[in-house]
Amino acid sequence: MADSLPVDSLSINAVAHVDETKGHDETGNGSVELPYQTPVRALQVHGDSVKILVWKVAAAGTDEVSAYAPISGAALKKAIKKVGELEKKAKKMAEQANEQAAKDKAAAEERERVLEVAKSIVLTEDPSLPAAQKIKIRGGVENRGKRVKISGWVHRLRVQGKNMTFIILRDGTGYLQCVLTDNLCQTYDALTLTLESTVTVYGVINELPEGKTAPDHHELTNSDPSVKYDLRHLVLREEKASGILKVRSQVMKAFRDHFDNRGFTEVTPPAMVQTSVEGGSTLFELNYYNEKAYLTQSSQLYLETCLPSLGDVYCLAESFRAEKSHTRRHLSEYTHCEAEMAFISFNDLLEQLEEMVCDVIDRTLAHKPSAEIVYKLNPGFKKPERPFLRMDYTEAIQYLKDNDIKKEDGTFYEVGEDIPEAPERAMTDKINRPIFLCRFPAEIKSFYMKRCPENNALTESVDVLMPGVGEIVGGSMRISDLEELMAAYTREGLDPNPYYWFTEQRKYGTSEHGGFGLGVERYIAWLLNLHTVRDACLYPRFTGRAFP
């Protein structure tokens, strides 16, 4: 039971003196000159074999003399019991201290691990979101519902679990509550954030519901963009989301009514195929009973086979493109409105397209509940003016040069190069009216497109461009000549054998024909002025998103 105190000669001789009045457990050593205050201390220092002498004060009025005397048996027993209790308590405290030290060490190691992981988390701005407007906190009220960018100092900070952090931001013009969630809370900067740190936050300022409080009764929500897609089943309950789907339903009905009214027959082509339409780089491959198959990129080839028996045909079906693109107008699965028409010219095709785009708008707006939603979500919507502007591809290349619209490397686009989304949209938004962009070079278009009779290097092709969204339709006249089609297979490096069923349409009663494919989500995004096509479908599918 001896502790670490130094043991003097008295300890070695196993005698310890105790004086409850003049002794001291901290500075005593058990000698006559420096006695302990308690027998417990004597036992702790010298062990239970020590002989303990206790100072006895003589009673007044007696012949007794004050002196040291052996401790009584009862007092010794009591002291020994107390020593045992203290030892147990000390042992327990030591165990608790060791446990706490182990926990502290584990927590520190976990903190270091988390910080190391956090260093690898890089936040990037989602290109599908609208551009953030830089404002001061004092301008928060008038900018509610908009995506904003605000810089300031961390005035107060509260971390709530691993997936939520509350910041009161100060910029000298006011205070703003900001809410960070999920991945945004798990970056290195977020985990090491302190009071008076300077930060820049992006998000949307929303008014708080009744019963909640914050400066100016609103807060900036800065959640990971993926959260709204994880919680899509709840987002759908919002007025805007449900309104979009109601308009979508009416738009789908309007497309069907348009085609039915013009004598088209609706068909339902297969979604699993073994041939490509738009090239192999965007095919979703699957194992189909130990054979290679794909999800369809387009139903066009199947629709063409229906022309001799059904006449003009259309379908409203899902198409799939394995494009690793994060732009606001791309989806991996989308609703494709496709149509094929026999015995038409390229000019007929353009007229049919213009008529369809406008007729579907008229039919949708004729439905009063849908019209109310359209003008609520897009108050400035105006029906497109007819006729649509017709512009050849070569004229578009010149327009880009005339308006100083360049590539990222600062050079101009040249004839023979594809016009990507950004310059295409810049041109369309500047012209600010629907455009038929026509006659693309053959080398940048699909193998099945018919060449222009006046210039064999060009195709009778068209993209329909709409302000705010860009391309919503792609169409062309189709190759009707067997030899021309076989040459196209060779040029594109395609094996014609799997396409025998498509090729034989040119053997048995060929005709001049053409068609198009329209992305329904893009059409709706244009109609409702949606920033991204992802909001125009029930559960969007895009790169990295196949859930829920």
Side-chain angles (χ1 to χ4, degrees):
M1 288 186 293
D3 65 8
S4 60
L5 287 177
V7 180
D8 61 6
S9 59
L10 287 177
S11 299
I12 296 172
N13 294 329
V15 175
H17 297 80
V18 174
D19 187 337
E20 294 180 356
T21 303
K22 297 180 179 179
H24 199 287
D25 283 347
E26 296 299 323
T27 59
N29 61 12
S31 65
V32 173
E33 294 80 9
L34 294 172
Y36 297 119
Q37 185 180 23
T38 65
V40 169
R41 187 57 178 165
L43 291 169
Q44 287 178 322
V45 175
H46 306 289
D48 55 10
S49 63
V50 69
K51 180 179 180 181
I52 299 175
L53 301 179
V54 179
W55 181 257
K56 300 289 186 180
V57 179
T62 66
D63 294 335
E64 295 180 357
V65 178
S66 296
Y68 282 102
I71 188 172
S72 69
L76 179 60
K77 184 176 181 180
K78 182 178 179 181
I80 292 172
K81 181 179 179 182
K82 182 64 175 178
V83 169
E85 292 174 351
L86 291 174
E87 285 181 341
K88 288 180 181 179
K89 183 177 180 181
K91 182 179 180 182
K92 184 176 181 180
M93 290 179 65
E95 290 174 348
Q96 291 175 339
N98 289 337
E99 289 177 3
Q100 187 60 47
K103 288 180 181 179
D104 292 344
K105 181 181 179 182
E109 291 174 349
E110 175 64 12
R111 171 74 173 173
E112 288 301 314
R113 186 194 68 79
V114 169
L115 289 177
E116 283 302 312
V117 172
K119 291 176 182 178
S120 66
I121 299 175
V122 179
L123 298 180
T124 57
E125 194 168 2
D126 189 338
S128 71
L129 296 175
Q133 179 182 352
K134 185 177 180 179
I135 68 167
K136 294 288 188 180
I137 290 176
R138 67 181 173 220
V141 173
E142 55 264 37
N143 284 286
R144 285 177 178 172
K146 302 175 183 177
R147 188 163 181 265
V148 297
K149 171 186 177 181
I150 302 176
S151 300
W153 290 264
V154 176
H155 185 67
R156 287 202 294 270
L157 177 66
R158 177 165 61 92
V159 177
Q160 187 171 311
K162 293 195 304 182
N163 295 315
M164 186 168 289
T165 298
F166 291 89
I167 297 173
I168 299 296
L169 195 65
R170 182 187 78 246
D171 73 347
T173 71
Y175 298 87
L176 176 66
Q177 178 166 290
C178 307
V179 185
L180 309 183
T181 59
D182 298 299
N183 215 34
L184 298 175
C185 303
Q186 295 161 13
T187 66
Y188 185 83
D189 287 341
L191 294 175
T192 57
L193 195 63
T194 61
L195 296 180
E196 297 304 318
S197 296
T198 54
V199 298
T200 297
V201 293
Y202 296 76
V204 178
I205 297 177
N206 294 309
E207 186 176 6
L208 290 175
E210 291 300 324
K212 292 190 175 183
T213 59
D216 290 329
H217 198 63
H218 60 207
E219 66 183 10
L220 182 142
T221 53
N222 195 344
S223 62
D224 185 333
S226 66
V227 171
K228 70 176 183 179
Y229 299 116
D230 290 338
L231 302 179
R232 182 68 175 166
H233 59 294
L234 300 178
V235 172
L236 292 175
R237 303 183 185 188
E238 295 177 354
E239 183 179 1
K240 180 179 178 180
S242 62
I244 292 170
L245 292 181
K246 289 175 182 177
V247 172
R248 178 189 170 100
S249 173
Q250 194 61 32
V251 166
M252 297 281 280
K253 182 178 185 298
F255 274 116
R256 286 192 165 94
D257 290 345
H258 168 83
F259 288 118
D260 291 348
N261 184 258
R262 285 155 178 78
F264 283 66
T265 300
E266 182 175 9
V267 294
T268 52
M272 292 182 290
V273 301
Q274 292 187 306
T275 53
S276 69
V277 181
E278 304 296 340
S281 64
T282 62
L283 284 169
F284 280 108
E285 185 176 323
L286 56 93
N287 185 327
Y288 186 72
Y289 302 110
N290 296 321
E291 291 187 12
K292 186 181 291 187
Y294 313 98
L295 295 176
T296 184
Q297 299 167 311
S298 166
S299 298
Q300 173 205 319
L301 306 189
Y302 293 101
L303 293 183
E304 288 189 49
T305 67
C306 298
L307 292 176
S309 57
L310 301 177
D312 296 344
V313 291
Y314 77 98
C315 69
L316 279 164
E318 299 303 286
S319 285
F320 306 86
R321 300 285 172 92
E323 292 180 289
K324 294 182 179 179
S325 175
H326 288 278
T327 72
R328 61 191 181 97
R329 70 173 195 170
H330 280 93
L331 292 166
S332 297
E333 176 185 357
Y334 64 98
T335 303
H336 211 173
C337 175
E338 298 183 87
E340 292 294 321
M341 296 153 284
F343 303 105
I344 64 169
S345 66
F346 185 48
N347 192 60
D348 293 334
L349 175 63
L350 299 184
E351 290 181 356
Q352 289 266 22
L353 275 171
E354 185 172 313
E355 174 63 25
M356 179 196 68
V357 169
C358 295
D359 185 50
V360 170
I361 291 294
D362 290 341
R363 291 175 184 274
T364 301
L365 295 181
H367 183 251
K368 187 176 179 180
S370 296
E372 291 176 353
I373 297 172
V374 169
Y375 288 113
K376 183 175 182 178
L377 295 180
N378 188 8
F381 178 75
K382 294 180 180 179
K383 294 181 180 180
E385 296 181 7
R386 301 178 66 179
F388 291 179
L389 176 65
R390 300 191 182 193
M391 175 186 285
D392 280 351
Y393 162 85
T394 52
E395 294 173 325
I397 292 292
Q398 188 60 47
Y399 182 94
L400 297 179
K401 291 180 178 179
D402 293 343
N403 289 270
D404 201 34
I405 301 174
K406 301 178 180 179
K407 304 177 190 176
E408 291 184 357
D409 63 7
T411 61
F412 285 110
Y413 292 93
E414 301 294 342
V415 172
E417 296 180 327
D418 192 19
I419 303 176
E421 175 191 359
E424 182 182 78
R425 283 190 52 216
M427 177 182 72
T428 308
D429 291 350
K430 192 165 186 175
I431 294 173
N432 198 31
R433 58 180 292 194
I435 300 172
F436 280 143
L437 188 56
C438 303
R439 300 177 179 86
F440 290 83
E443 62 264 25
I444 64 172
K445 281 297 182 180
S446 299
F447 75 93
Y448 52 76
M449 293 188 177
K450 186 178 181 64
R451 302 295 182 104
C452 294
E454 70 277 10
N455 186 342
N456 194 53
L458 303 179
T459 55
E460 290 189 320
S461 54
V462 59
D463 286 351
V464 182
L465 312 180
M466 288 294 182
V469 67
E471 179 192 347
I472 64 168
V473 180
S476 76
M477 294 298 291
R478 316 309 194 189
I479 292 175
S480 58
D481 181 75
L482 177 60
E483 291 184 3
E484 185 180 349
L485 180 59
M486 296 305 293
Y489 288 141
T490 301
R491 184 182 68 251
E492 297 297 324
L494 294 173
D495 179 3
N497 291 321
Y499 294 89
Y500 73 92
W501 50 274
F502 175 70
T503 306
E504 288 185 354
Q505 302 302 308
R506 280 77 185 164
K507 285 185 178 180
Y508 308 113
T510 188
S511 67
E512 295 298 319
H513 63 287
F516 59 84
L518 175 144
V520 172
E521 288 80 9
R522 290 189 185 182
Y523 187 89
I524 294 170
W526 164 67
L527 173 62
L528 299 180
N529 193 32
L530 303 179
H531 181 73
T532 172
V533 294
R534 298 173 185 178
D535 292 340
C537 39
L538 185 63
Y539 285 93
R541 296 291 182 256
F542 50 92
T543 305
R545 170 65 55 176
F547 179 86

